[in-house]
Amino acid sequence: MSKVDLSVQVGPLKFRNPIMLASGTVGYGNEIAEFTDLNKIGGIVTKSLSLKPRKGNPPQRIVETPSGMLNAIGLANVGVEQFLKEKIPFLKKYDVPLICNIAASTVEEYVECTRILTQEDSITAFEINVSCPNVKEGGLQFGNDVAAVAKITEKVKSVSTKPIIIKLSPNVSYISGFAKAVKESGGDAVSAINTLVGTSFNIFTKKPKIHNVNGGLSGPAIKPVALAKVLEIRKEVDIPIIGIGGIMDWKDVIEFMIVGASAIQLGTLNFINPSAAGQILTELENYCNNFGITKLSDVTGSYII
Amino acid sequence: MFILNAPVEKSIELENKIYLLQVRCPEITSDVRPGQFLNVRVSESMYPLLRRPFSVCDVDDEHLYLMFNILGEGTKILARKHKDETIDIIGPLGNGFNLEGEFDTAVIVAGGLGAAPFPFFTRMIKDHKKILTFIGGRSHKDIITYGMQNISIATEDGSLGLKGNVIHLLQQNLEQLKSNRIKIFSCGPTGMLRALKDFTIKNNFDCEVSTECAMACGFGICQGCPIESTEHPDKYHLVCKDGPVFNVKDVLL
Ligand SMILES: Cc1cc2nc3c(=O)[nH]c(=O)nc-3n(C[C@H](O)[C@H](O)[C@H](O)COP(=O)(O)OP(=O)(O)OC[C@H]3O[C@@H](n4cnc5c(N)ncnc54)[C@H](O)[C@@H]3O)c2cc1C
Ligand SMILES: Cc1cc2nc3c(=O)[nH]c(=O)nc-3n(C[C@H](O)[C@H](O)[C@H](O)COP(=O)(O)O)c2cc1C
Ligand code: FES
């Protein structure tokens, strides 16, 4: 069997393969490392970090929906300082690109987090979360405002030489307008998509099932939306795209690449099958061999309409 | 921690809608402790999507036993599993009961399906400690005694044992409890655990409780299962990783 080249390029970033693990679905790597060899995957994106630790929302934080789930974790995280002290040493043991996801309530806080973290050599790039639907301040307010996204991109870019990826919200009419703002403000790539706003009620008590009332919808239920958003960006803006949303197997990875993703992230799947990343890599290799594809990245943007 | 496909060997209906599932899983049986749980994928399809957590009800050399009642789609599918089908299991997960310590009598307090972890618990402790078991439920149909010893029962409708709840039952046996060096181990609905917490604090009894919460991953990556901590009010414990068993004093129920 011939050797397939699985490596991909996302702007200035080169990955050995397109499979990354999505923010909020792998913690800080230690638990998932029991199931997936982090030395084999393309990259790992940490849980959103904020300047100070965040306790997150009260329970109930998650509920299952048809072929998906709603979560309102509320960006529970250890904060930048503790991350550098307690979490980085574990991640450093692995040969895997580390992408730090940052969330904040103000533009200044995004900048401050990036400024602190950028000094840590083992961090490869930043993914800026402007799109979390589960926090009161910041979150979607930024993700819904093109000018705010442009400003955050520009300011964060000015304090770091590392690549900046902006993670976009699907809860907007035209996501390509946001991708364009990222590109024009110097952003290196976009991740699409974060979760969709959703809710779920108990029909007997008439109360919301999630304490926060709304949650972020993820899982296979959102895949068609995510594919459409990636395709829209690909058609309108020349910027590298990391595809996210409901990826459950190798076929979904290929589908995301066809509509324009250079790499992808696995999210909810990690909860259901924490060994999935490794299995998908083997299957991608088989697919390439079976279809005579020598370079997987050739699939990106190969759609025929 | 393992992720594996375990063949189902038997599924029996113990009571109306309460099932005992026997799966072959020698990898986990040697490792698991009472109070730990498994996160089970009931179907390969996208619905239900998430795994379902179940306590390890009992083990023998090669088998794990799960006890569950039919609540929704997931448990309905699980109840229909027959010999030679497999279920996908992640486990053993969480922290189990602490069986060591300065007590000579283990007092089990179970509410309804909270009985699930105690057959294993009873098997592990019965040769070393005396056991007293108190079981409560709404009616006689909710009382599961499978695999347990020295049982006293309370039902809210009075259809079996004492008419009242399990705390009334403990209150009634207070003298006996106080005359032993006891430790209480409990699992059941949160309302019951809350009342038990008051009872144990008032009477100065050591008590561990197995808590429940909606879960996605079961092993600490989703942050979906918070429980309020008494010692660290600025952060939550995770039921799946820091629990599901906690000393009752460490959590706000
Ligand atoms: C650590 C742990 C150990 C558990 N051990 C056992 C066990 O040994 N035996 C057993 O029968 N069950 C146990 N449970 C509960 C079990 O996980 C749920 O009964 C199961 O997930 C229901 O799945 P379902 O698809 O049938 O129901 P769903 O369709 O998910 O839900 C049906 C109904 O049940 C309610 N429900 C769902 N999960 C729970 C829950 N955790 N507690 C209370 N109500 C719930 C839902 O709100 C809904 O109203 C345990 C839960 C945890 C967290
Ligand atoms: C429980 C949970 C927590 C999440 N936390 C974060 C987060 O902290 N930061 C972030 O940028 N995205 C977060 N996400 C969004 C995911 O990274 C991903 O964009 C989304 O779940 C869609 O992908 P999926 O359908 O494959 O899960 C979270 C998702 C879930 C399910
Ligand atoms: S269930 Fe995912 S962290 Fe506890």
Side-chain angles (χ1 to χ4, degrees), chain B residues 215-218 220-225 238 240:
Chain B
M215 289 185 180
C217 69
I221 59 171
C222 75
Q223 298 274 327
C225 60
L238 293 179
C240 72

Side-chain angles (χ1 to χ4, degrees), chain B residues 160-187:
Chain B
L160 194 64
L162 178 83
K163 184 168 165 44
N165 64 36
V166 79
I167 307 298
H168 298 137
L169 194 59
L170 290 171
Q171 202 71 51
Q172 206 182 47
N173 289 275
L174 196 57
E175 286 315 309
Q176 188 194 4
L177 298 179
K178 286 202 159 155
S179 64
N180 290 286
R181 286 194 306 160
I182 68 159
K183 180 168 173 183
I184 298 178
F185 299 90
S186 182
C187 181

Side-chain angles (χ1 to χ4, degrees), chain A:
Chain A
M1 220 184 266
S2 66
K3 192 86 191 105
V4 182
D5 180 4
L6 293 180
S7 71
V8 296
Q9 189 86 29
V10 181
L13 289 161
K14 192 163 165 72
F15 297 106
R16 63 186 152 226
N17 62 62
I19 310 295
M20 299 194 238
L21 306 182
S23 177
T25 68
V26 287
Y28 304 105
N30 15 358
E31 289 88 5
I32 196 101
E34 291 214 28
F35 300 103
T36 276
D37 185 354
L38 299 183
N39 291 322
K40 295 232 166 83
I41 59 172
I44 182 164
V45 190
T46 59
K47 173 83 192 156
S48 278
L49 290 165
S50 47
L51 201 51
K52 296 271 170 288
R54 290 183 74 124
K55 189 178 180 187
N57 293 329
Q60 184 156 343
R61 286 182 177 178
I62 48 177
V63 65
E64 187 171 334
T65 57
S67 299
M69 64 178 275
L70 290 166
N71 88 79
I73 308 295
L75 297 180
N77 79 94
V78 297
V80 164
E81 196 183 320
Q82 208 179 327
F83 173 75
L84 286 171
K85 247 193 260 155
E86 290 171 18
K87 306 295 178 186
I88 283 261
F90 175 84
L91 288 162
K92 262 187 177 165
K93 288 191 280 185
Y94 292 90
D95 168 30
V96 62
L98 172 61
I99 298 173
C100 274
N101 180 300
I102 296 173
S105 331
T106 62
V107 177
E108 292 72 33
E109 194 187 336
Y110 278 113
V111 171
E112 187 60 6
C113 285
T114 314
R115 203 184 51 73
I116 297 169
L117 289 167
T118 204
Q119 291 159 26
E120 170 57 54
D121 288 342
S122 59
I123 298 171
T124 309
F126 295 106
E127 182 180 70
I128 307 297
N129 179 4
V130 292
S131 47
C132 181
N134 300 323
V135 282
K136 293 227 159 46
E137 72 293 348
L140 265 189
Q141 268 160 275
F142 289 131
N144 278 329
D145 179 343
V146 176
V149 169
K151 188 167 173 198
I152 293 167
T153 311
E154 192 193 318
K155 295 276 181 193
V156 163
K157 196 68 200 164
S158 72
V159 294
S160 178
T161 52
K162 293 179 180 173
I164 303 291
I165 304 157
I166 306 290
K167 184 162 178 181
L168 299 177
S169 169
N171 301 300
V172 296
S173 305
Y174 295 103
I175 198 169
S176 51
F178 290 80
K180 201 153 169 245
V182 170
K183 161 124 183 151
E184 286 166 359
S185 313
D188 297 283
V190 293
S191 296
I193 55 175
N194 208 319
T195 52
L196 287 148
V197 175
T199 190
S200 179
F201 273 66
N202 180 316
I203 60 162
F204 303 108
T205 63
K206 301 187 179 174
K207 288 185 177 167
K209 290 188 185 165
I210 288 196
H211 185 271
N212 209 40
V213 185
N214 284 338
L217 181 64
S218 67
I222 72 166
K223 194 184 82 174
V225 178
L227 285 167
K229 299 286 181 192
V230 170
L231 182 63
E232 182 194 326
I233 298 169
R234 174 74 184 193
K235 283 170 141 179
E236 303 294 330
V237 191
D238 180 22
I239 191 165
I241 308 162
I242 301 173
I244 320 170
I247 296 175
M248 297 302 280
D249 57 26
W250 67 272
K251 288 182 246 164
D252 294 340
V253 176
I254 296 293
E255 201 175 353
F256 268 85
M257 292 185 80
I258 288 172
V259 297
S262 300
I264 61 87
Q265 293 176 15
L266 307 177
T268 302
L269 176 59
N270 295 315
F271 306 153
I272 298 156
N273 180 6
S275 335
Q279 291 162 10
I280 288 178
L281 278 171
T282 311
E283 288 158 339
L284 281 178
E285 218 162 346
N286 291 343
Y287 164 81
C288 289
N289 279 321
N290 291 344
F291 289 90
I293 297 166
T294 50
K295 199 162 169 28
L296 180 60
S297 61
D298 288 346
V299 176
T300 295
S302 61
Y303 61 84
I304 300 165
I305 293 178

